[in-house]
Amino acid sequence: EALLQMLEMRLDNLVYRLTYESVPASGLAQFAINDLGYNKLAFYFTYINPVLVWQAIAINNLGNDSADVNLYAVGQEEILGMAAENIGGNSKVDGVIEVWFPDVPYGDIDYIVAISENDLTGITISGSADNGTLLFMPAAGAEGFEPPEEPEEPEEPVNEIE
């Protein structure tokens, strides 16, 4: 039999922590999560250690309403790919970057920017093949990032066949 209890507290110094455990590799990581959200959030990657063979992101929607999120993969200051995600209220999504950008080669993405009308937080996760080495880094605000403008729809068909 399960018992569910709810506790509500209002403390200015309350710290939330996220713990990740890889049981097969006996890896354990824990870090603080703040509640400071951004509507433009950047996930930065590092390729300095060859043991790191995969990259992932986790995006948390701090709002009560679902969030439409546009993702932009950036490398060499160019947009390499775009994707979209919908995240439920007070929920998160996570996955390796190939989930959103399957056509962008590993190592080409310098950072990913997530843009939403809701406040977001998140982390970048990198790891070795056996998950024995894990690297976590909090995402940062990306206020200066400007997404590409959407092309305007032509008023008349471009290649009209008569």
Side-chain angles (χ1 to χ4, degrees), residues 31-104:
F31 54 95
I33 301 175
N34 66 32
D35 61 356
L36 180 61
Y38 301 92
N39 66 348
K40 290 182 181 178
L41 192 63
F43 301 84
Y44 294 94
F45 300 103
T46 181
Y47 302 97
I48 59 172
N49 190 331
V51 74
L52 301 174
V53 296
W54 59 266
Q55 309 274 10
I57 61 173
I59 310 169
N60 183 32
N61 173 11
L62 296 176
N64 292 325
D65 298 325
S66 102
D68 290 323
V69 180
N70 292 318
L71 300 169
Y72 301 89
V74 181
Q76 306 270 326
E77 296 305 318
E78 292 186 24
I79 304 290
L80 303 177
M82 294 182 281
E85 184 68 62
N86 182 276
I87 307 171
N90 297 306
S91 297
K92 72 168 181 68
V93 295
D94 55 47
V96 293
I97 57 177
E98 290 83 5
V99 167
W100 293 285
F101 305 105
D103 298 328
V104 180

Side-chain angles (χ1 to χ4, degrees), residues 2-8:
L3 174 66
L4 175 64
Q5 294 181 330
M6 189 167 228
L7 173 67
E8 183 175 331

